[in-house]
Amino acid sequence: MSKPVVATASLAGCFGCHMSVLDIDDRILQLIDLVEFNKSPVDDIKTFTKTCDIGIIEGGCCNSENVENLKEFRKHCKILISLGECAIMGGLPAMRNGIPVKECMEEAYYNCPTIDKNDPKIMPNDDELPMILDRVYPLHEIVKIDYYLPGCPPRADLIWEALVALITGKELSLPYEVLKFD
Amino acid sequence: MSRKITIEPVTRVEGHGKVTIHMDDAGKVSQTRFHIVEFRGFERFAQGRPYWEMPVLVQRLCGICPVSHHLAAAKAIDVIAGAGTGEGLTPTGEKMRRLMHYGQMFQSHALHFFHLVSPDLLFGADGDPAIRNVIGVALMHKDLAVQGVMMRKFGQEIILATAGKKIHGTGAIPGGINKNLSVAERDSFLKGADPLNIEKMVSWAQGALDFFKDYHSKNKELIDDFAVFPSNHLSLVRKDGALDLYHGVLRAVDTDGKKILNDVDYQDYLTYIGEEVRSWSYMKFPYLKSLGKEKGWYTVGPLARLNTADFIPTPLAQKEFEIYKAYTKGKVNNMSMHMHWARLIELLHSAEVIRDLLNDKDLQGDNLVAKGPKKKEGVGLVEAPRGTLFHHYRVNDNDQVEMANLIVSTTNNNEPMNQAVNYVANWAFNGKKEITEGMMNRVEMAIRAYDPCLSCATHALGQMPLEIELLGAGGIMLDRKRR
Ligand code: SF4
């Protein structure tokens, strides 16, 4: 049997969830033996070159690019996993959800104390910059998600156990301590 | 016909970067821009939150070096809680935080070297991108991969023991720390089974440095001549001029080594530092007010720190510092690729500092928190792995944050990264009609030297992906390459 194919992405996340994957430490060498990586920052494959078995996504959607990227993943992955708070609920970036985007921008670019009050008021606005969404959306509001791994970030042991269970079909045994929401 | 070239690293961390290169009618580079296309809005949504939440909230802006944000925020709220700026803490509080910080520095610098730089050194800058990544290293140089993994693990375990979690911990609280280091924890780092003990870490750090120096002696041109341009440099230094990554005064030197910011108190940073907004990037452009927007930009990070500091207060790293300094005859070092060398000297220094701290009885003390008369406003600074990090908060009578201002390391390096890209564009793209792999690679290398947070994880895990578009007048696509 050929190795299961895995793809990963970071949308509006902090990359902490990917770092937590690295925290499986030397088991990373086993992981490389167990699976084949496709589109992922891990190996720099930029576009899907085949259908993947498992897609793992960190971060919610805060701009239009995130949404496109997520839909691509749904199209190419048989199983899609929301990894961490941001993917599951929007996380820290979603703290802006009750506030109009305009106010957030004004605070950063007009009211900021390091900006010279005599400067002309400038707001970043360029064709090269993507559109910011009205609020930050969790993944399952945009596409169907198959599994959720909680934590900010999810503990390395949780990620490892879940992946091994998925790949080998073994039943998941999760000690209480690794299931956390912080 | 004028053209525009777009280079787009598609992956993001704290942001998502993109390079555009405009060519004039004669096919010469007329303008280059490095855009940051990510926006979070933290300054606004922090408002109304209780100030003690800041150290646990802000670190979630960046999971690559969360400890830096955790501690910069904690130092700012120390001031608000009346615990002073750095010196006010109890010895246990201050030293536990230092241990956490140097543990972070150690794991971050190790990750950077083994996962990012070593693939280039092992497979060559023009090696096959398919294997020139950390998986390639793991498959073909297993011993080196294991070293990288174990050094990162050691640093992460230190963070776990001081902050409570490897990523997004809760150790630092207003005025101090919420736990000390138990004797069992200490001994696990001092006498852990091979390789997970501090002596091994010191010797591996020395080994990484020797590996780099050997490479340098055989590849002088690449390391010495690439993306070299005059810059000012800024960092914290200890009051006596020593390298200090946790606390100190602000110092800046110009390209001739003249002090242009003379060991000032960072609580007054608004007097010295300003920021400019440019319409084409979500990231602001900081500058030294005394020199103005044009000339006042500066570099931060390992290169800058070894330019501002007078010496390194641990013996092995000091010896390496002397060799490094002698290479430029004591002058200011503006060679972008020497950032890697400086980073490895800091890696060795961090291991030595961790060793000293572990042998310090103060870590088992139980006076954890200092308090004093409350204040309304506080500024916190640390030297993060990638450079100086500023946090500034003001609170109202209900202890709610009223104003938050952050200048992160990558923002401080905004203009230098633009300068580096401009340097490479002028050197590689002038008069060219097609994009070659080599040209893409050069741009990537220039940005990577700064280890910007927007792509540092990408770097850590593999190669930065690039997309380049050549656009003719009217936006017609002439050429497009992606990898
Ligand atoms: S869930 Fe936490 S660790 Fe993961 S991306 Fe979001 S903030 Fe970062």
Side-chain angles (χ1 to χ4, degrees):
Chain A
M1 205 182 76
S2 61
K3 290 188 196 175
V5 185
V6 174
T8 77
S10 172
L11 306 180
C14 76
F15 238 90
C17 288
H18 271 78
M19 289 292 125
S20 198
V21 176
L22 281 191
D23 283 338
I24 65 174
D25 300 326
D26 35 342
R27 286 171 288 182
I28 199 103
L29 300 171
Q30 284 178 53
L31 187 65
I32 292 170
D33 279 341
L34 269 177
V35 302
E36 173 192 333
F37 281 96
N38 203 261
K39 181 182 162 98
S40 164
V42 174
D43 58 7
D44 192 32
I45 297 183
K46 295 296 307 107
T47 44
F48 284 103
T49 52
K50 56 168 87 164
T51 302
C52 296
D53 298 289
I54 304 169
I56 303 173
I57 301 189
E58 139 191 330
C61 292
C62 80
N63 65 34
S64 49
E65 273 177 1
N66 296 152
V67 175
E68 281 164 35
N69 211 339
L70 176 59
K71 287 184 171 160
E72 271 283 286
F73 261 77
R74 184 68 274 183
K75 219 162 65 200
H76 290 91
C77 300
K78 292 184 203 151
I79 294 170
L80 216 51
I81 302 177
S82 270
L83 181 67
E85 282 327 299
C86 294
I88 297 173
M89 306 202 281
L92 172 108
M95 282 179 69
R96 78 162 163 86
N97 282 3
I99 305 163
V101 177
K102 189 162 164 278
E103 267 182 45
C104 291
M105 307 266 302
E106 283 175 356
E107 191 60 28
Y109 302 108
Y110 290 174
N111 307 335
C112 160
T114 7
I115 289 170
D116 189 338
K117 294 290 166 274
N118 302 315
D119 278 355
K121 287 195 159 152
I122 296 173
M123 189 70 83
N125 178 18
D126 195 276
D127 287 348
E128 307 294 345
L129 304 176
M131 288 303 286
I132 296 170
L133 301 179
D134 61 333
R135 63 184 184 88
V136 178
Y137 294 82
L139 305 184
H140 69 269
E141 286 191 15
I142 295 172
V143 299
K144 175 177 169 278
I145 297 293
D146 302 293
Y147 295 102
Y148 301 82
L149 295 180
C152 180
R155 299 300 189 276
D157 287 341
L158 173 64
I159 299 173
W160 174 250
E161 291 293 334
L163 273 182
V164 170
L166 254 182
I167 293 162
T168 60
K170 274 203 203 104
E171 199 157 326
L172 194 58
S173 86
L174 281 178
Y176 181 71
E177 312 85 74
V178 299
L179 253 188
K180 287 189 176 150
F181 292 88
D182 173 18
Chain B
M1 186 174 61
S2 66
R3 295 184 294 145
K4 187 181 80 171
I5 301 168
T6 306
I7 303 175
E8 191 170 353
V10 188
T11 325
R12 66 222 65 198
V13 174
E14 216 193 337
H16 162 183
K18 188 180 213 173
V19 173
T20 54
I21 301 169
H22 293 259
M23 317 279 270
D24 65 12
D25 293 347
K28 284 187 73 175
V29 172
S30 60
Q31 181 198 61
T32 60
R33 283 173 171 178
F34 177 48
H35 312 261
I36 298 298
V37 302
E38 194 83 10
F39 176 77
R40 291 274 190 263
F42 175 82
E43 296 86 343
R44 175 63 186 79
F45 68 65
Q47 292 174 359
R49 308 301 305 184
Y51 72 84
W52 53 82
E53 279 186 8
M54 292 304 119
V56 286
L57 271 189
V58 261
Q59 60 187 345
R60 286 175 164 91
L61 291 172
C62 177
I64 312 297
C65 54
V67 169
S68 311
H69 282 288
H70 185 58
L71 291 178
K75 286 180 76 179
I77 66 172
D78 286 347
V79 180
I80 293 174
T85 71
E87 287 96 357
L89 263 53
T90 66
T92 308
E94 143 117 22
K95 286 173 187 171
M96 280 295 284
R97 286 197 192 173
R98 275 186 183 273
L99 182 61
M100 191 196 302
H101 191 48
Y102 282 87
Q104 148 99 345
M105 196 64 75
F106 185 76
Q107 75 85 11
S108 174
H109 280 2
L111 181 80
H112 185 268
F113 178 72
F114 285 97
H115 295 67
L116 155 66
V117 183
S118 80
D120 274 353
L121 305 189
L122 293 170
F123 302 115
D126 297 316
D128 180 1
I131 57 157
R132 196 172 37 126
N133 56 48
V134 68
I135 296 179
V137 175
L139 293 174
M140 296 164 80
H141 299 270
K142 203 156 180 176
D143 48 328
L144 212 69
V146 168
Q147 252 187 55
V149 165
M150 287 306 175
M151 285 170 88
R152 176 183 153 81
K153 182 176 162 79
F154 187 83
Q156 290 291 85
E157 293 290 342
I158 293 227
I159 294 171
L160 176 67
T162 48
K165 263 172 90 190
K166 288 185 175 178
I167 296 163
H168 301 332
T170 55
I173 54 175
I177 194 91
N178 63 13
K179 78 182 277 280
N180 64 9
L181 195 74
S182 71
V183 172
E185 283 167 330
R186 181 197 68 191
D187 289 348
S188 74
F189 297 121
L190 283 175
K191 303 179 225 154
D194 193 64
L196 289 170
N197 58 63
I198 187 62
E199 288 311 325
K200 191 68 165 201
M201 294 301 136
V202 173
S203 83
W204 273 354
Q206 182 74 57
L209 192 49
D210 294 341
F211 182 87
F212 179 85
K213 284 194 291 186
D214 179 55
Y215 179 85
H216 181 201
S217 70
K218 295 175 188 141
N219 298 273
K220 285 239 150 74
E221 209 183 314
L222 177 73
I223 304 291
D224 293 352
D225 299 344
F226 182 71
V228 184
F229 51 89
S231 172
N232 304 311
H233 298 268
L234 174 132
S235 84
L236 284 178
V237 293
R238 202 165 76 184
K239 275 201 177 122
D240 60 356
L243 178 73
D244 196 318
L245 305 172
Y246 176 72
H247 189 65
V249 287
L250 258 187
R251 179 186 286 185
V253 298
D254 69 10
T255 192
D256 299 319
K258 200 178 101 216
K259 280 187 194 153
I260 46 178
L261 207 55
N262 204 345
D263 301 358
V264 298
D265 182 353
Y266 63 72
Q267 293 301 316
D268 305 324
Y269 83 110
L270 285 176
T271 315
Y272 311 107
I273 311 272
E275 284 186 290
E276 187 190 355
V277 184
R278 297 184 195 166
S279 63
W280 46 270
S281 179
Y282 283 132
M283 196 153 84
K284 289 173 262 194
F285 290 80
Y287 60 91
L288 289 168
K289 284 184 175 168
S290 59
L291 296 179
K293 292 188 185 102
E294 278 291 295
K295 298 213 169 79
W297 59 272
Y298 51 84
T299 299
V300 298
L303 191 69
R305 289 192 285 254
L306 296 201
N307 279 327
T308 53
D310 301 325
F311 65 100
I312 299 184
T314 54
L316 295 176
Q318 170 63 17
K319 223 173 97 210
E320 295 294 338
F321 180 67
E322 283 162 18
I323 299 170
Y324 172 89
K325 276 294 192 191
Y327 195 78
T328 52
K329 304 197 169 58
K331 299 241 170 62
V332 166
N333 191 332
N334 282 316
M335 296 177 258
S336 295
M337 299 299 279
H338 281 221
M339 202 96 70
H340 298 314
W341 189 358
R343 195 176 285 119
L344 288 169
I345 296 176
E346 289 188 345
L347 175 74
L348 180 61
H349 171 59
S350 300
E352 289 183 282
V353 171
I354 292 170
R355 180 166 63 186
D356 291 348
L357 282 168
L358 288 173
N359 285 306
D360 191 324
K361 295 252 177 312
D362 280 345
L363 286 182
Q364 279 79 47
D366 44 23
N367 193 0
L368 304 182
V369 181
K371 270 200 196 106
K374 283 266 295 288
K375 290 207 167 128
K376 280 276 159 77
E377 203 163 344
V379 180
L381 247 68
V382 293
E383 282 298 321
R386 290 151 194 89
T388 320
L389 169 64
F390 298 68
H391 279 225
H392 176 196
Y393 304 102
R394 199 175 59 229
V395 299
N396 65 18
D397 290 334
N398 298 324
D399 285 349
Q400 290 168 299
V401 172
E402 204 172 65
M403 185 280 304
N405 190 36
L406 309 185
I407 311 176
V408 304
S409 323
T410 302
T411 301
N412 282 309
N413 272 334
N414 201 352
E415 184 63 26
M417 286 190 291
N418 270 282
Q419 293 280 335
V421 167
N422 189 50
Y423 174 98
V424 177
N426 275 297
W427 180 62
F429 284 80
N430 265 336
K432 301 277 164 51
K433 295 223 165 54
E434 251 185 284
I435 311 156
T436 64
E437 175 79 12
M439 288 155 79
M440 287 168 83
N441 201 17
R442 304 296 166 193
V443 173
E444 182 182 307
M445 271 170 57
I447 299 174
R448 191 194 305 156
Y450 290 85
D451 188 16
C453 216
L454 58 113
S455 48
C456 56
T458 319
H459 291 163
L461 300 165
Q463 296 301 306
M464 179 160 65
L466 287 181
E467 180 173 305
I468 304 192
E469 282 177 3
L470 277 182
L471 297 176
I476 305 152
M477 194 176 301
L478 301 176
D479 188 15
R480 177 178 183 164
K481 286 230 170 69
R482 183 176 239 262
R483 73 145 203 256

